[in-house]
Amino acid sequence: MSDFVDRVTVHVKGGDGGNGSAGIRREKYKPLAGPNGGNGGDGGSVIFEATRNATSLLDYRFMPHRVAPGGTMGLGDNKDGTKGRDLILPVPCGTVIFEARGPQGRPKHPGEQLADLRHEGDRFVAAAGGAGGLGNIALANRTRRAPGFALLGELGEERDVILELKSIADVALVGFPSAGKSSLIAAMSSAKPKIADYPFTTLVPNLGVVVAGDRRYTIADVPGLIPGASQGKGLGLEFLRHIERTEIIAHVIDCATLEDGRDPMSDYEALEYELAEYAGSLELPLGAIPIPERPRIVILNKADVPEAKELAEFVKPEFEKMGMRTFIISTASHEGLKELNFALAGMVAEMREEVARREQAEEEARVVIKPLERQARRRRVADEGGNALEFSIERKENGLGEFWFEVTGRKPERWVQQTNFDNDEAVGYLADRLAKLGVEDELRRKGAKPGDEVRIGKGDRAVAFDWDPTIAAGAERLDDAPLGARGKDLRLEEDEGRARRRTNAERRREYHEMMDAKAAVREAMMAERKAGHWADPSIDDDRHDEKSLFGRGE
């Protein structure tokens, strides 16, 4: 079983933001001294980072679900929640991240390219964490002095991505199966690939580091190619992408093959045809040299066999006429390896300078649009009338005759996630925000009528409700019970009597009134006692009492 993995599907989810706090500060003689609820902490993000310490995507095959920690809830005394720590996921240099597309429960296929982590330290935020909810101290203002609610934290971003590893090597060894590529990389470097005398021994790309004097470069051993590899035959299609990042293509040709219809020149032409077919569908990264323009070198292998050496010396001039440097080698006797090693080192040095020059030219030619120092307004969606809206409303129908109005937009969808629908004041706050944004006016323009179903958002996170524009935001409950206008706290209203703090004079007056009432009751009870009403049961004190001894209820 091979432990080299170069394509995986990973499910990533950013941490959820913490909820805000709706705490109220309490002091002596001040049971309602004002709001003091802190904000919730932001959730952590899932970030992929390129590093040379990683060589494979094997870890993500066994653990494909990665979730970042969430933020904690805000507390009273104006204490904000802590932010969730970002989840840093290391990947090898040369990893390309794609959007995963496909139905749920089925294998995914690559969609839009999201990032290309080519260099050490390159990062990509695959799933951003959710923002923490605001506490009631952040929601308070002159009219809403003591909010009895706080905003909920937003959910973290969640999606599937495909990681595809395209090995970054200086030289790519291409050739037919059993041409001696693995033997060559083993002879020139410290790599220990599997070597055997049957086709397709190499099932995974092998990388080797080669030293030539004071120069170092890497060689990639690509599994054997056969005619039709660019269309999926053999193993070539799975591993052809590993030559996309190489700077030099080295053809390793078997001069000792006994197969009918094969010779060094026909093998070279067949390999070039497959490379050209594969190169036609590539989107090269910034500064990369197209595969047809990359320098070639021909390596005629197995010169330790007399017939093979004779054939190699015969075809070498033919390749040189085509403008390619040609070397006759033997991985068994190490003949010609030293010359080949220094020749490749020189070509690699030249190509590195060329690639660096192209990358610099591309960077200078690229137009970079940077935001202004002041906060810019986000781009809005233009409606049918030409007005700028920060949301869109569409009338949807299904095959059963049911319809609804779907509201989409960054702000409405965020606001719905932040709302605690168990709190009437929070619902009223949401209604006011939507009305101020223009959602109600746009619903009327789209033909919505009271009682029609309205959905804000898409998918599992959508919220549906019956639209009733006649209800003022926060003015009444769903059961028609009266409720103070949103932004006003009944506990602090002056016209609610004891809801406000009484003065000392009012306290003294109420105290004397209470004591005078108690004294009057005691005098009445003493007069009844002296009259004997409590001792003689024959005296009917209450003619309306049906349970008296006389039973004369009137």
Side-chain angles (χ1 to χ4, degrees):
M1 178 67 67
S2 171
D3 60 353
F4 183 88
V5 177
D6 61 350
R7 177 183 285 182
V8 292
T9 301
V10 184
H11 179 82
V12 293
K13 182 184 184 304
D16 298 336
N19 298 334
S21 172
I24 297 295
R25 186 171 68 254
R26 302 181 185 277
E27 300 176 1
K28 190 176 182 180
Y29 304 119
K30 292 182 180 181
L32 301 173
N36 71 343
N39 302 330
D42 297 337
S45 301
V46 180
I47 303 175
F48 289 103
E49 181 179 9
T51 174
R52 298 189 183 278
N53 296 329
T55 58
S56 174
L57 303 175
L58 182 64
D59 292 343
Y60 302 103
R61 170 164 292 182
F62 295 110
M63 298 179 61
H65 294 264
R66 302 300 178 101
V67 181
T72 61
M73 180 180 179
L75 302 176
D77 200 16
N78 197 19
K79 295 180 180 179
D80 295 338
T82 57
K83 181 183 183 301
R85 181 177 299 179
D86 293 336
L87 180 61
I88 308 298
L89 301 178
V91 294
C93 296
T95 300
V96 183
I97 303 177
F98 297 93
E99 176 187 2
R101 294 182 179 176
Q104 189 71 19
R106 297 290 184 87
K108 306 289 186 178
H109 61 273
E112 178 186 358
Q113 178 176 323
L114 302 176
D116 187 356
L117 309 181
R118 302 175 57 196
H119 306 99
E120 175 86 11
D122 288 350
R123 284 190 170 193
F124 171 70
V125 180
L134 297 179
N136 61 351
I137 193 171
L139 299 173
N141 53 31
R142 290 184 300 177
T143 59
R144 191 190 308 110
R145 291 175 289 172
F149 69 100
L151 299 184
L152 304 180
E154 297 181 28
L155 299 178
E157 187 179 2
E158 184 176 6
R159 63 177 173 180
D160 292 333
V161 295
I162 293 179
L163 307 182
E164 187 174 286
L165 175 59
K166 299 179 180 180
S167 302
I168 297 181
D170 299 309
V171 181
L173 303 180
V174 298
F176 275 72
S178 298
K181 300 182 299 298
S182 298
S183 300
L184 178 58
I185 196 174
M188 297 182 64
S189 69
S190 298
K192 304 297 181 184
K194 182 179 180 181
I195 300 174
D197 59 351
Y198 55 85
F200 299 113
T201 305
T202 302
L203 299 178
V204 298
N206 297 304
L207 292 178
V209 179
V210 183
V211 178
D214 58 348
R215 296 175 179 175
R216 295 167 61 93
Y217 61 94
T218 56
I219 295 180
D221 170 21
V222 180
L225 302 180
I226 62 174
S230 58
Q231 282 74 41
K233 294 183 179 180
L235 301 176
L237 184 61
E238 289 297 321
F239 303 107
L240 269 172
R241 60 175 171 268
H242 289 277
I243 71 171
E244 294 181 15
R245 307 300 175 85
T246 59
E247 299 163 358
I248 298 172
I249 298 177
H251 288 276
V252 181
I253 297 177
D254 183 4
C255 293
T257 181
L258 300 177
E259 295 183 21
D260 294 337
R262 283 188 55 187
D263 59 80
M265 191 59 66
S266 63
D267 286 359
Y268 170 79
E269 294 175 353
L271 293 174
E272 281 294 328
Y273 177 80
E274 296 302 326
L275 291 177
E277 288 293 317
Y278 183 71
S281 59
L282 291 182
E283 293 184 3
L284 297 176
L286 180 68
I289 301 176
I291 290 181
E293 300 178 11
R294 296 178 192 177
R296 263 66 163 174
I297 187 173
V298 177
I299 303 174
L300 304 175
N301 193 16
K302 301 185 181 179
D304 54 295
V305 179
E307 293 81 0
K309 184 173 184 180
E310 182 180 352
L311 178 60
E313 293 176 349
F314 177 77
V315 298
K316 180 179 178 180
E318 298 296 328
F319 287 109
E320 292 177 343
K321 290 180 181 179
M322 300 169 60
M324 288 181 294
R325 303 179 65 177
T326 307
F327 294 85
I328 300 176
I329 68 164
S330 172
T331 57
S333 63
H334 289 199
E335 176 184 350
L337 293 185
K338 184 176 181 180
E339 293 80 3
L340 175 62
N341 186 6
F342 281 91
L344 289 175
M347 297 176 66
V348 168
E350 295 176 1
M351 292 306 299
R352 285 177 179 174
E353 295 178 359
E354 176 65 18
V355 171
R357 186 186 63 80
R358 291 197 178 200
E359 288 183 353
Q360 181 66 24
E362 291 287 347
E363 288 288 352
E364 294 176 356
R366 176 188 292 182
V367 178
V368 179
I369 301 177
K370 296 182 179 180
L372 300 176
E373 293 184 0
R374 65 179 63 181
Q375 185 177 5
R377 298 180 63 87
R378 291 187 176 89
R379 184 175 61 87
R380 298 183 175 185
V381 181
D383 64 353
E384 297 175 359
N387 299 323
L389 302 176
E390 296 186 74
F391 59 90
S392 61
I393 299 178
E394 296 183 6
R395 189 177 187 275
K396 301 283 187 176
E397 296 185 8
N398 56 17
L400 303 178
E402 301 175 347
F403 69 93
W404 64 91
F405 291 88
E406 184 179 79
V407 181
T408 57
R410 183 175 179 272
K411 284 187 176 181
E413 294 180 23
R414 288 182 62 245
W415 293 347
V416 165
Q417 292 184 20
Q418 295 172 344
T419 302
N420 178 12
F421 288 94
D422 294 332
N423 188 303
D424 295 327
E425 191 177 357
V427 175
Y429 179 68
L430 171 64
D432 279 357
R433 298 174 86 179
L434 294 176
K436 185 177 180 180
L437 188 63
V439 174
E440 289 193 353
D441 295 338
E442 187 65 14
L443 283 172
R444 292 189 183 93
R445 198 176 72 84
K446 293 288 185 179
K449 298 180 180 179
D452 290 345
E453 182 179 357
V454 176
R455 299 179 185 178
I456 299 180
K458 294 182 179 180
D460 298 336
R461 299 184 179 182
V463 175
F465 57 90
D466 293 335
W467 186 50
D468 193 347
T470 61
I471 297 180
E476 56 188 25
R477 303 180 190 270
L478 297 179
D479 56 357
D480 297 333
L483 179 68
R486 190 193 55 72
K488 296 181 179 179
D489 194 334
L490 297 180
R491 299 170 297 182
L492 304 179
E493 293 301 314
E494 295 183 357
D495 56 356
E496 292 295 325
R498 298 179 63 90
R500 65 180 181 86
R501 186 182 179 186
R502 296 169 294 170
T503 63
N504 291 336
E506 291 173 341
R507 292 175 184 272
R508 285 194 295 269
R509 184 177 64 253
E510 292 177 0
Y511 173 77
H512 291 312
E513 291 175 355
M514 180 183 64
M515 297 304 295
D516 292 343
K518 288 184 178 180
V521 171
R522 284 195 297 268
E523 292 178 357
M525 293 177 64
M526 185 60 67
E528 292 178 358
R529 181 178 181 181
K530 290 181 179 180
H533 294 177
W534 294 358
D536 189 356
S538 62
I539 299 177
D540 186 9
D541 298 328
D542 189 359
R543 297 179 300 171
H544 302 281
D545 186 6
E546 296 181 355
K547 296 182 180 181
S548 66
L549 296 176
F550 303 95
R552 301 182 302 139
E554 295 181 2

